[in-house]
Amino acid sequence: MKTLLLTGFEPFLEHLFNPAEYIVRQLNRKQIGSYQVAGKVLPVDYRRSALELLDHYEALQPDAVMMLGLAAGRNRITPERIAININDGPNDNSGAEMTDVPIAGDGPAAYFSTLPVRKFVNLLNERGFPAELSNTAGAYLCNNVMYSMLHHINKVKHSIHAGFIHVPPSNELAVNDRRLSGWPKENLQKGIEILIESLDQKIAGDERTWKSYTTD
């Protein structure tokens, strides 16, 4: 049985519920496809989030890493194509704010996800879960952990599936903010389960290897 490290964030800013945290807690210790899920909730903290993520990675030595976060302004599940080497965003939960701060002084400008992001989007849409590819993870904590994880596995030369997926708001958030389009949190969870289950599956009509998706 392989191990998948699945992470999500605690609530942040004005969002009192984080569906990414919910998904991680629900899927922790579940067997999905060929993976045993190890779910970990990360703090919304510029100084701590990536450090805790990498501690979990080193402790577990997982075969794949899938990081989740809330994109409150989106209405689809959006796998992220790329992470950039910059922190620039609003206050974190400790009150710290970052402006134009590199994540890794020794790192390149960006890393591509090594998850099969195009396959993910196609598969979700085929199953009736609205999804699209995203070309920006922003410059807040979601981008921070995505970049940090990809930088680490590049330095230690591990060739594994690793990347970030944004989920839209759940109904718990939309009910108090008419600007948001909410999903049932159970549907968001099911969408992520589909993606985990598909990681090692060859999808009919898709003859490319997962590595091709790093630049897809």
Side-chain angles (χ1 to χ4, degrees):
M1 180 62 58
K2 297 180 180 180
T3 299
L4 180 135
L5 173 58
L6 181 70
T7 70
F9 285 105
E10 63 187 1
F12 64 102
L13 299 176
E14 72 274 18
H15 309 302
L16 301 181
F17 178 83
N18 194 330
E21 178 184 23
Y22 169 83
I23 295 167
V24 167
R25 294 196 186 280
Q26 291 296 115
L27 299 187
N28 183 37
R29 299 185 179 180
K30 286 191 69 171
Q31 180 181 335
I32 303 175
S34 57
Y35 291 92
Q36 183 77 29
V37 176
K40 304 294 181 181
V41 178
L42 301 176
V44 177
D45 188 305
Y46 285 110
R47 296 177 180 84
R48 293 172 49 211
S49 59
L51 291 175
E52 291 193 16
L53 169 66
L54 297 182
D55 282 347
H56 294 315
Y57 179 85
E58 289 302 319
L60 292 166
Q61 293 293 300
D63 301 283
V65 181
M66 188 178 291
M67 297 162 279
L68 307 179
L70 167 66
R74 300 180 187 177
N75 61 8
R76 295 170 178 260
I77 297 175
T78 50
E80 296 295 342
R81 194 198 301 261
I82 192 168
I84 60 173
N85 189 8
I86 202 74
N87 282 327
D88 191 323
N91 291 351
D92 64 16
N93 283 357
S94 73
E97 185 176 0
M98 296 282 181
T99 303
D100 297 335
V101 178
I103 296 171
D106 62 341
Y111 284 105
F112 286 103
S113 174
T114 57
L115 291 174
V117 292
R118 180 66 70 183
K119 182 178 82 171
F120 278 1
V121 169
N122 293 342
L123 180 61
L124 286 174
N125 284 322
E126 288 167 7
R127 299 283 186 89
F129 293 82
E132 66 183 9
L133 195 58
S134 170
N135 290 316
T136 175
Y140 193 43
L141 272 298
C142 297
N143 176 77
N144 177 294
V145 297
M146 180 181 176
Y147 184 93
S148 298
M149 186 76 260
L150 293 169
H151 183 54
H152 180 74
I153 64 174
N154 181 69
K155 289 203 310 184
V156 298
K157 301 188 184 306
H158 289 173
S159 180
I160 66 169
H161 292 293
F164 199 96
I165 298 168
H166 269 116
V167 297
S170 61
N171 290 341
E172 287 78 4
L173 295 170
V175 73
N176 292 317
D177 189 340
R178 63 186 301 171
R179 297 170 300 174
L180 303 182
S181 299
W183 284 38
K185 59 183 182 293
E186 296 81 5
N187 287 6
L188 293 174
Q189 175 186 329
K190 180 60 178 177
I192 298 304
E193 290 182 36
I194 289 170
L195 299 186
I196 295 172
E197 189 173 22
S198 76
L199 269 175
D200 290 339
Q201 293 178 349
K202 188 174 179 62
I203 305 300
D206 180 6
E207 299 180 352
R208 293 177 294 179
T209 65
W210 69 270
K211 290 184 179 179
S212 72
Y213 290 94
T214 59
T215 55
D216 197 352

